[in-house]
Amino acid sequence: MKHYQLVFDQKKTATEEEKQMLASSVLMATLAIPLPSSMSENEKYLDLQNSTKDKNMTLASYLDLQHAPTRETLIADIVKHGIPGKVYPELQPLFKILELDFQPLKLCSLVDNMLKEVERLYSDVSAYTADVRQVAVLRLMRQLAQVYEKISINKVVSLIPYIEPLELELLIIEPAKTLDLQLRIDHATQTFIFGSTIQYQREETTSGPTVQQMPSEMFRNQLMSLYTALNQSVDLISPAMKKQAKDEMRHEAISTYMKCYKRDHTNMIKRKEMIENRKEYYENLNTEKERAEIQEREKTRREAEKAETKRRDEEEKRRTEERSAREEKYKDKLLKLEKVKKLIEQLGEKPFEGLTEEELLSMGEEELLARGIEHMSKEKDDLKNKMKQVEKRLDYYTRAQRLVEIPLLKSEWEKTQEEDKIWWEKKEADRIEMAIKKREYDISTRRRLLRMREDKDTFVNNIISTKGAKSTKEEVSRFEEELKRVKEE
């Protein structure tokens, strides 16, 4: 209810659907509260469930209320805020049927049909439907009690379409035991008998729609009226008698007190001493208990420290062993990884493409070698196939080139022959012309040299005659050697 009020007062952005859903939840939660047990003033005074009272007061303080909320106060609040008219359309008649209308023959069937429709359409309030059905059953029994004195169990079960006879009996036992429901079960005749004897009547009536009082309630009211009238008559007829009775009661109470006050005073003093002694005894007992608890806690603490030390040592030992194992494993991994790298360098990286480091380490050396050899043989086969394809393609290409090239070469060769012939004829003509010119030059040179021959012979003879034949031979041989040396260089 508080949540509903806060949302409506503080949350200005709340949509109509949210408000309708919240109002429906408040209504269903309120109607699902079990019908309260009516208690007389004496029963309320003698109620020893202080824990329940404390809980109720704590709940009231949390909700900022002066008194603990009850079913009646909550129903009054929802009526005050007009919540029954703000709920889902299927739930709007529910409050009127349960709290206002008196129709015991249709009550449970109407409630059941309505709740089935609600369960089908709105799952947010389906948690309250089972409790609302139970409240409807108790409300039906109270309405039947105002109309019938006796009714068949089968008839009642036919009025409640969602309950079995055993479930109905278990549901009404507690209210009948606490006299919240004036009902007895006659298993011999399979009937419910309404009403109770006057000495077990309540002083309060229950909430809800009421047509008439129960016969036992009417009888009790008549007796109370008769008792009040008789007391008033006695006061009017003999007022002195009432005063005399009061004085006698007062004197009797005073005389009784005077007889017992010394003893009571002594008992009170002894009781005080006994309380002090008992208090001291319990204090000593608590002190001993606290000392024993302290010793026990100290012992437990020492044992826990010892166990913790042992656990730490074991944990340190375990960590050291795990660290050593990890280091050893890491070293093995490095060695194996080094071997794998060497194999990869020898065999190439292609055989091991797509493999992770863990997969490479998990494979043995023989398996790696086999994989590398297999890849090499596969590459060799692929290379052979490719070479065959290239050779075949190149052969076809060369053949095609030759087929196209041969006619072109022939025409080129013929063209070259013609050009070479022209070039040779030109060069031959030039050579003949040069030879003729050289011949003419040589003839002219011979003629000049022949004219110098007589002078040369004369010069040679003079030299020979001057130096002698021997010196001439030596000069000739020296000249020839010098000439040979120059030629060699």
Side-chain angles (χ1 to χ4, degrees):
M1 192 65 192
K2 280 286 184 182
H3 183 211
Y4 173 82
Q5 293 176 356
L6 288 173
V7 169
F8 269 70
D9 294 340
Q10 305 295 332
K11 190 175 181 181
K12 304 301 182 181
T13 60
T15 61
E16 290 299 327
E17 290 76 9
E18 292 179 356
K19 293 180 180 180
Q20 194 177 48
M21 179 186 69
L22 189 57
S24 301
S25 299
V26 171
L27 178 64
M28 290 292 289
T30 304
L31 295 180
I33 300 174
L35 296 178
S37 175
S38 59
M39 300 175 65
S40 64
E41 292 297 330
N42 293 333
E43 288 173 336
K44 292 178 181 178
Y45 181 76
L46 295 175
D47 185 17
L48 300 179
Q49 295 180 356
N50 293 325
S51 60
T52 304
K53 293 182 179 179
D54 294 339
K55 290 180 181 179
N56 292 335
M57 294 303 297
T58 304
L59 177 62
S61 63
Y62 286 159
L63 298 175
D64 195 18
L65 298 174
Q66 295 181 355
H67 303 285
T70 61
R71 194 175 191 275
E72 288 75 11
T73 57
L74 290 174
I75 288 177
D77 288 340
I78 65 175
V79 173
K80 177 182 176 181
H81 291 87
I83 292 178
K86 299 176 181 178
V87 299
Y88 296 130
E90 292 80 7
L91 277 178
Q92 290 180 0
L94 182 62
F95 179 79
K96 184 173 180 295
I97 292 173
L98 278 178
E99 300 297 329
L100 301 178
D101 291 348
F102 186 88
Q103 43 184 354
L105 299 181
K106 298 180 180 178
L107 175 63
C108 288
S109 60
L110 293 175
V111 171
D112 185 53
N113 294 333
M114 193 180 305
L115 293 181
K116 284 181 179 178
E117 186 68 15
V118 169
E119 289 174 345
R120 186 178 65 84
L121 297 176
Y122 311 107
S123 59
D124 52 328
V125 296
S126 59
Y128 305 107
T129 54
D131 295 329
V132 173
R133 285 189 172 95
Q134 292 185 1
V135 172
V137 172
L138 295 179
R139 184 69 75 192
L140 170 69
M141 298 305 294
R142 289 187 178 183
Q143 292 182 7
L144 290 175
Q146 299 178 36
V147 180
Y148 293 92
E149 292 182 358
K150 183 186 295 186
I151 189 171
S152 170
I153 295 177
N154 293 331
K155 176 63 176 177
V156 176
V157 172
S158 66
L159 297 177
I160 309 172
Y162 52 84
I163 201 168
E164 297 294 331
L166 182 60
E167 295 177 3
L168 176 61
E169 184 175 342
L170 293 174
L171 184 60
I172 65 176
I173 282 177
E174 188 63 26
K177 184 172 65 174
T178 57
L179 299 180
D180 292 326
L181 188 61
Q182 300 180 21
L183 178 144
R184 290 176 296 151
I185 303 175
D186 188 351
H187 290 285
T189 59
Q190 291 293 308
T191 56
F192 290 127
I193 301 174
F194 299 103
S196 63
T197 57
I198 191 65
Q199 61 267 29
Y200 298 114
Q201 265 296 303
R202 295 282 188 184
E203 295 181 5
E204 297 181 359
T205 57
T206 57
S207 60
T210 303
V211 175
Q212 61 182 358
Q213 293 181 340
M214 297 286 292
S216 55
E217 292 177 352
M218 293 169 30
F219 187 34
R220 180 182 61 80
N221 292 336
Q222 290 177 0
L223 289 178
M224 290 298 297
S225 300
L226 178 61
Y227 171 74
T228 303
L230 290 176
N231 280 334
Q232 292 176 357
S233 301
V234 170
D235 292 339
L236 291 175
I237 294 172
S238 56
M241 184 183 298
K242 185 176 181 181
K243 183 178 179 182
Q244 183 180 358
K246 287 183 179 180
D247 292 338
E248 290 178 356
M249 290 177 63
R250 187 182 300 109
H251 288 303
E252 185 178 358
I254 292 172
S255 61
T256 304
Y257 171 74
M258 294 303 294
K259 290 179 182 179
C260 302
Y261 83 96
K262 291 183 178 180
R263 184 189 62 188
D264 292 340
H265 182 67
T266 304
N267 291 336
M268 290 175 66
I269 295 173
K270 289 181 179 180
R271 184 174 181 274
K272 184 177 180 181
E273 293 177 355
M274 183 179 67
I275 290 172
E276 292 295 332
N277 293 333
R278 187 175 292 275
K279 183 178 179 182
E280 183 179 358
Y281 168 75
Y282 280 116
E283 287 179 354
N284 295 332
L285 186 63
N286 289 332
T287 304
E288 291 294 331
K289 186 176 180 181
E290 289 177 358
R291 187 182 296 110
E293 289 178 354
I294 292 172
Q295 293 177 356
E296 185 66 24
R297 285 197 298 269
E298 186 66 22
K299 181 180 178 181
T300 304
R301 185 185 62 80
R302 288 196 297 269
E303 291 178 354
E305 288 180 354
K306 185 177 179 181
E308 182 65 18
T309 303
K310 183 178 179 181
R311 187 191 66 79
R312 287 178 180 176
D313 294 339
E314 292 177 353
E315 184 70 17
E316 184 65 25
K317 183 179 179 181
R318 183 182 63 80
R319 288 180 180 176
T320 304
E321 292 176 354
E322 289 180 354
R323 184 167 58 253
S324 301
R326 286 197 301 270
E327 291 176 355
E328 188 68 24
K329 187 177 180 181
Y330 181 70
K331 290 179 181 179
D332 295 341
K333 182 179 179 180
L334 288 179
L335 291 174
K336 194 169 183 180
L337 189 60
E338 188 67 24
K339 292 180 180 179
V340 170
K341 287 182 178 178
K342 289 182 179 179
L343 286 174
I344 291 175
E345 290 176 357
Q346 295 174 0
L347 301 175
E349 296 182 357
K350 287 188 177 180
F352 310 101
E353 288 181 352
L355 295 178
T356 61
E357 184 176 323
E358 289 75 11
E359 292 175 346
L360 289 173
L361 293 175
S362 63
M363 298 171 66
E365 187 175 356
E366 295 180 356
E367 188 175 356
L368 292 173
L369 286 171
R371 188 182 182 93
I373 293 171
E374 181 183 357
H375 182 75
M376 291 175 64
S377 62
K378 185 177 180 180
E379 281 190 342
K380 188 176 180 181
D381 295 339
D382 292 342
L383 184 60
K384 287 181 178 179
N385 294 331
K386 288 181 180 178
M387 290 298 294
K388 288 181 179 179
Q389 293 177 1
V390 171
E391 181 182 359
K392 191 174 181 180
R393 187 167 58 250
L394 184 60
D395 181 61
Y396 289 162
Y397 180 71
T398 305
R399 288 173 180 271
Q401 280 184 333
R402 297 300 295 174
L403 291 174
V404 175
E405 188 181 21
I406 288 172
L408 297 176
L409 288 173
K410 286 182 178 180
S411 61
E412 185 69 22
W413 171 253
E414 293 175 355
K415 183 179 179 181
T416 304
Q417 288 291 334
E418 293 292 333
E419 291 177 353
D420 290 345
K421 184 178 180 181
I422 295 170
W423 178 82
W424 183 83
E425 289 177 351
K426 181 180 179 182
K427 290 296 182 182
E428 187 66 20
D430 293 338
R431 185 185 67 79
I432 292 170
E433 183 180 358
M434 289 299 293
I436 293 170
K437 289 180 179 181
K438 188 174 183 298
R439 173 66 179 170
E440 291 177 353
Y441 176 76
D442 290 340
I443 291 172
S444 65
T445 301
R446 181 175 178 278
R447 288 174 181 173
R448 285 197 313 270
L449 291 176
L450 286 175
R451 286 195 302 268
M452 294 171 63
R453 184 172 182 179
E454 292 178 1
D455 295 334
K456 187 266 299 180
D457 291 341
T458 303
F459 179 74
V460 170
N461 290 330
N462 290 331
I463 290 173
I464 291 172
S465 62
T466 301
K467 292 184 178 182
K470 185 177 179 179
S471 60
T472 301
K473 290 181 179 179
E474 290 177 358
E475 290 292 333
V476 170
S477 62
R478 191 183 299 114
F479 174 77
E480 290 178 353
E481 290 177 359
E482 185 68 19
L483 182 62
K484 183 178 181 182
R485 185 181 64 80
V486 172
K487 287 181 178 180
E488 289 178 355
E489 291 177 359

